[in-house]
Amino acid sequence: CLFLFFQCDNAKGLKAFYDAIKYGPNHLMVFGGVCATVTSIIAESLKGWNLVQLSFAATTPELADKKKYPYFFRTVPSDNAVNPAILKLLKRYQWKRVGTLTQDVQRFSEVRNDLTDVLYGEDIEISDTESFSNDPCTGVKKLKGNDVRIILGQFDEEMAVKVFCCAYDEEMYGSKYQWIIPGWYENLWWESWINSSQCLSKNLLAAMEGYIGVDFEPLSSKMTKTISGRTPQQYEKEYNAKRGDGQSSKFHGYAYDGIWVIAKTLQHAMKHLNETKQHQKIEDFNYTNHKLGKIFLDAMNETSFFGVTGQVVFRNGERMGTIKFTQFQERKEVKVGEYNAVEDKLEIINNSIRFQGLEPPKDKTIIQEELRKISLPLYSILSALTILGMIMASAFLFFNIKNRNQKLIKMSSPYMNNLIILGGMLSYASIFLFGLDGSFVSEKTFETLCTVRTWILTVGYTTAFGAMFAKTWRVHAIFKNVKMKKKIIKDQKLLVIVGGMLLIDLCILICWQVVDPLRRTVEKYNMEVCP
């Protein structure tokens, strides 16, 4: 069985593929495909040769289209595989309002579009969608203007430096914000691009602190033996020993599992041929043998085993893999969790995610409408003073009534004194009503209170002031008599004066109540920062 590996150069890759088909022996499958351009062209044409292709490194979402690429499989999750993981993370921290910032590159745009579909119907609002080609600052400003706190970014390392510089300038970092970006950047990626930005290194690192990266897991973290008999850790040790000083690729585990997928597929196909007694062997395969090609296709789709990259299982040709979450903490990336796509389960490692505040950021500015009300301690103090005043007034009233026939009390017009005291007590009573606001009574009761307290205060003041005015007027009328003739002004006349004043008040109050009665209104104050 021969497998074909082809290059990233379109012309050379296609030529190598077609030469192998034309001049080489019959290939059972195509193993490989790294660059999206070459892989997509070849994957689209494989149906004509009944060839199943298995890639270990092509992550472009475009290849997930089964109508266009029915014979294409991959052991590596596609770029879109991070979106269900992001959804789980958003739900875990109850973030229901997010914004996206995307670089104008097809790879990133496809992931963003798929994310929109994933979040649709999940009660998570994408409140703002921004994209940029070279300068992300305009998009960052718009996100801030729309009060976006949870930002889902899709951009490369070079643009990431620019994004976080803009975030620092706009103060979009710290305890109020959470950035979620691709996790496939190289180690210390920012050091390669810091010189191309207008940002100081310390400012960039301050803005980056706490961001969460999302990417597929290169190797499983489980200490379980794989199909090869090795644990993922034993495999990695052996791989590093054989690699030596050569450059490592994060796809090596997927390539290794890919070989096992092909072996299991062929084994399953051979078993199927033996069980169905079709008197055929896999060596009988040729590019026009649709029956064997379909058997290979079905066998690969049913593959399931535990490999060095985790549980290897396909859904419509797409690998259901493990997605890891890392967080930038104190100038290094720390793994904080992983998402198992097979079980649809998110696991955070020992609450290792560090948020900049005491709790996860809120997904928006929370506006709490708070009713401004009378201070209860103040109302209690004034009510107590009012009660003392009313007790004192009651004592004066009792004294005045009891001693009304004594000469000195009688000369001071006790009836008018009683009116002054009663007017004062009515005015005191209005204090209780003015202190009852919307926090104590209902809306309808409040409107009634508005009217009642206005009437009580007006009548009380006019009664007290009217009686005092009438007494003063009588003194004035007597002493302005220059001829010093005896002049008597009885209390009945003073009562008429007070009654006239009250009549005027009542006319005004009744007209007010009929034409334009008092209504309860709510006054909106300017927003204030919660202390």
Side-chain angles (χ1 to χ4, degrees):
C1 182
L2 297 175
F3 306 111
L4 179 65
F5 295 84
F6 42 84
Q7 307 169 53
C8 282
D9 184 281
N10 284 11
K12 291 181 179 179
L14 292 172
K15 186 177 185 305
F17 173 72
Y18 288 119
D19 285 348
I21 294 293
K22 185 175 181 180
Y23 302 112
N26 284 341
H27 301 295
L28 300 179
M29 296 178 192
V30 176
F31 182 58
V34 178
C35 296
T37 51
V38 186
T39 305
S40 58
I41 295 172
I42 292 176
E44 191 173 1
S45 63
L46 290 176
K47 188 176 181 180
W49 285 291
N50 297 305
L51 277 172
V52 174
Q53 180 182 354
L54 180 67
S55 173
F56 58 87
T59 61
T60 177
E62 178 192 2
L63 293 167
D65 186 353
K66 285 295 111 183
K67 291 182 179 179
K68 196 173 182 181
Y69 310 105
Y71 280 71
F72 179 81
F73 290 78
R74 49 185 161 193
T75 54
V76 63
S78 80
D79 291 334
N80 285 347
V82 302
N83 290 332
I86 291 174
L87 173 62
K88 277 289 182 183
L89 184 71
L90 296 177
K91 285 186 172 182
R92 180 183 179 91
Y93 293 107
Q94 298 180 357
W95 290 326
K96 297 185 176 182
R97 185 175 182 273
V98 301
T100 62
L101 183 64
T102 311
Q103 184 179 351
D104 280 333
V105 175
Q106 183 180 3
R107 174 185 183 182
F108 301 126
S109 299
E110 288 177 345
V111 177
R112 189 267 318 279
N113 294 339
D114 180 73
L115 177 64
T116 302
D117 294 336
V118 169
L119 298 184
Y120 181 77
E122 294 289 343
D123 196 27
I124 295 177
E125 172 196 358
I126 300 181
S127 58
D128 193 10
T129 300
E130 299 295 333
S131 58
F132 64 94
S133 296
N134 190 50
D135 182 14
C137 289
T138 302
V140 172
K141 287 179 182 178
K142 288 182 179 179
L143 288 171
K144 184 179 181 180
N146 288 324
D147 192 35
V148 174
R149 301 294 188 87
I150 312 301
I151 305 102
L152 310 179
Q154 283 292 330
F155 33 75
D156 59 27
E157 296 103 316
E158 181 182 4
M159 291 298 112
V161 170
K162 294 183 178 181
V163 167
F164 283 112
C165 283
C166 297
Y168 181 83
D169 293 337
E170 295 296 325
E171 298 183 348
M172 287 186 67
Y173 65 96
S175 61
K176 292 184 178 180
Y177 295 92
Q178 182 61 60
W179 288 84
I180 301 174
I181 64 173
W184 44 260
Y185 299 163
E186 295 293 331
N187 191 32
L188 302 176
W189 54 269
W190 63 91
E191 293 183 353
S192 304
W193 302 101
I194 184 64
N195 294 329
S196 63
S197 69
Q198 305 295 323
C199 199
L200 293 177
S201 179
K202 65 176 183 178
N203 296 344
L204 176 64
L205 292 171
M208 289 167 52
E209 184 67 25
Y211 80 71
I212 294 176
V214 192
D215 191 22
F216 60 81
E217 184 74 275
L219 290 174
S220 174
S221 58
K222 293 182 178 179
M223 305 287 290
T224 308
K225 281 190 176 183
T226 66
I227 190 172
S228 66
R230 303 175 181 86
T231 64
Q233 294 74 24
Q234 290 171 336
Y235 158 79
E236 185 177 26
K237 185 178 180 181
E238 186 176 341
Y239 168 78
N240 288 332
K242 291 185 178 181
R243 176 173 60 88
D245 297 330
Q247 187 177 2
S248 174
S249 167
K250 68 175 183 178
F251 297 106
H252 64 84
Y254 292 98
Y256 182 77
D257 281 345
I259 298 296
W260 279 100
V261 169
I262 291 172
K264 290 287 288 182
T265 299
L266 295 177
Q267 184 186 51
H268 187 83
M270 292 165 64
K271 183 179 178 182
H272 177 79
L273 290 173
N274 289 333
E275 289 176 350
T276 55
K277 298 179 181 180
Q278 296 185 26
H279 306 292
Q280 274 188 314
K281 298 179 180 179
I282 59 173
E283 292 89 340
D284 298 333
F285 174 77
N286 57 59
Y287 300 137
T288 59
N289 193 328
H290 296 282
K291 195 171 184 180
L292 267 178
K294 185 67 167 58
I295 290 173
F296 290 159
L297 183 68
D298 294 340
M300 185 168 287
N301 218 9
E302 294 170 6
T303 301
S304 179
F305 63 86
F306 186 75
V308 296
T309 58
Q311 190 67 31
V312 180
V313 61
F314 298 103
R315 184 177 295 167
N316 293 325
E318 291 295 295
R319 169 72 186 275
M320 304 298 292
T322 303
I323 305 299
K324 69 171 180 176
F325 290 92
T326 58
Q327 188 178 39
F328 190 72
Q329 300 176 359
E330 298 176 357
R331 304 191 65 166
K332 64 179 184 291
E333 288 190 336
V334 179
K335 183 178 176 181
V336 294
E338 62 180 38
Y339 167 76
N340 188 320
V342 178
E343 299 177 3
D344 190 28
K345 182 180 178 182
L346 173 64
E347 180 182 357
I348 301 298
I349 303 171
N350 298 326
N351 294 319
S352 53
I353 293 185
R354 295 184 194 171
F355 295 107
Q356 304 299 295
L358 298 175
E359 59 182 359
K362 303 298 181 186
D363 56 13
K364 61 182 176 181
T365 299
I366 298 176
I367 300 174
Q368 294 180 330
E369 287 199 346
E370 190 176 274
L371 183 66
R372 286 192 169 174
K373 50 193 179 183
I374 303 294
S375 169
L376 186 58
L378 179 63
Y379 180 61
S380 302
I381 292 170
L382 289 176
S383 295
L385 293 174
T386 301
I387 291 172
L388 289 175
M390 294 185 77
I391 292 173
M392 183 179 67
S394 300
F396 289 154
L397 182 62
F398 175 77
F399 176 84
N400 209 46
I401 294 173
K402 184 179 180 182
N403 300 295
R404 64 183 181 275
N405 294 321
Q406 290 189 14
K407 186 178 180 181
L408 289 175
I409 301 298
K410 197 171 185 179
M411 288 175 64
S412 68
S413 299
Y415 293 112
M416 303 309 296
N417 292 341
N418 292 343
L419 285 179
I420 293 173
I421 294 171
L422 289 173
M425 293 180 75
L426 282 174
S427 298
Y428 274 130
S430 70
I431 294 176
F432 295 113
L433 302 181
F434 272 100
L436 295 175
D437 61 5
S439 60
F440 294 109
V441 296
S442 64
E443 293 182 18
K444 190 173 182 181
T445 306
F446 186 79
E447 286 192 357
T448 305
L449 281 178
C450 282
T451 303
V452 171
R453 70 191 187 187
T454 304
W455 280 61
I456 289 178
L457 180 60
T458 304
V459 172
Y461 175 80
T462 301
T463 302
F465 176 78
M468 202 180 304
F469 173 81
K471 288 180 66 175
T472 306
W473 172 82
R474 180 166 63 181
V475 173
H476 169 72
I478 292 172
F479 283 95
K480 79 171 185 176
N481 181 12
V482 292
K483 294 181 180 179
M484 297 300 292
K485 289 183 179 179
K486 188 176 180 180
K487 187 174 184 179
I488 299 174
I489 301 176
K490 294 186 177 182
D491 286 351
Q492 286 84 346
K493 191 171 185 179
L494 300 184
L495 289 172
V496 170
I497 293 173
V498 176
M501 289 184 174
L502 285 173
L503 186 61
I504 294 170
D505 270 350
L506 289 174
C507 290
I508 294 173
L509 288 171
I510 291 170
C511 291
W512 185 3
Q513 185 65 26
V514 172
V515 176
D516 185 20
L518 288 170
R519 292 281 182 264
R520 176 186 180 273
T521 59
V522 178
E523 184 175 351
K524 296 283 185 179
Y525 289 88
N526 293 331
M527 286 196 291
E528 300 174 358
V529 177
C530 179

